Amino acid sequence: LSLWVAQTTRRLPDIKFIFCHGGGVMPILLGRMAGFDEWRGVGPEKLRQVFPEGVYAEYRKLYFDCAQAFAPEDFALLQKVTEPSHLLFGSDYGYFPVSHSKSLFTKLVLPESTRQAIAAGNAAEILPRWKV
């Protein structure tokens, strides 16, 4: 939220901000933030200043690793609020074995092209020096 309020993401559009754990609670809070136009502490003018194309449009510019976000309900919400090209495989390795995330990721019902993109293709697009 501080990146948006400070207009950082709009001033520096070429930076690919990657947030861990599917964005944490942010996907859940987007609808509440979109409703701030009715809150006297923010109001419609400030909301339009921070999110000229809307809260959801600004969120779709960000990228997310999906470590600990492969539960079907978490992943379904991520798919609703962002593009599949902005989702990256994440494992939380060091805290959890990679096999944990791999198992959850494998259980998701996804087109094979989307699965491959999340597994490696999307990361290779935004981090080209890591292409194999």
Side-chain angles (χ1 to χ4, degrees):
L1 184 57
S2 65
L3 290 172
W4 289 329
V5 171
Q7 299 289 300
T8 304
T9 56
R10 297 187 64 71
R11 284 184 291 110
L12 305 167
D14 294 333
I15 294 179
K16 308 296 189 229
F17 290 95
I18 303 171
F19 293 89
C20 61
H21 301 139
V25 300
M26 284 304 293
I28 297 167
L29 297 177
L30 293 174
R32 294 180 190 189
M33 290 169 49
F36 282 176
D37 64 343
E38 298 176 14
W39 184 43
R40 66 178 179 199
V42 176
E45 288 178 33
K46 180 66 174 175
L47 199 64
R48 275 191 301 278
Q49 177 188 353
V50 175
F51 304 105
E53 292 97 31
V55 172
Y56 290 93
E58 201 63 33
Y59 191 77
R60 285 186 192 99
K61 296 176 184 177
L62 307 175
Y63 291 80
F64 305 93
D65 92 24
C66 295
Q68 303 308 316
F70 288 126
E73 62 278 8
D74 293 335
F75 198 78
L77 179 55
L78 273 174
Q79 287 183 297
K80 287 182 180 181
V81 297
T82 196
E83 301 298 320
S85 63
H86 286 227
L87 300 176
L88 313 167
F89 182 85
S91 68
D92 233 2
Y93 176 74
Y95 295 100
F96 292 91
V98 174
S99 60
H100 172 74
S101 289
K102 183 179 176 188
S103 172
L104 293 172
F105 181 58
T106 302
K107 291 176 185 174
L108 293 172
V109 178
L110 297 170
E112 190 56 30
S113 60
T114 301
R115 184 177 304 285
Q116 291 301 318
I118 293 169
N122 294 341
E125 286 299 315
I126 62 171
L127 303 165
R129 74 177 194 189
W130 296 103
K131 277 187 179 179
V132 193

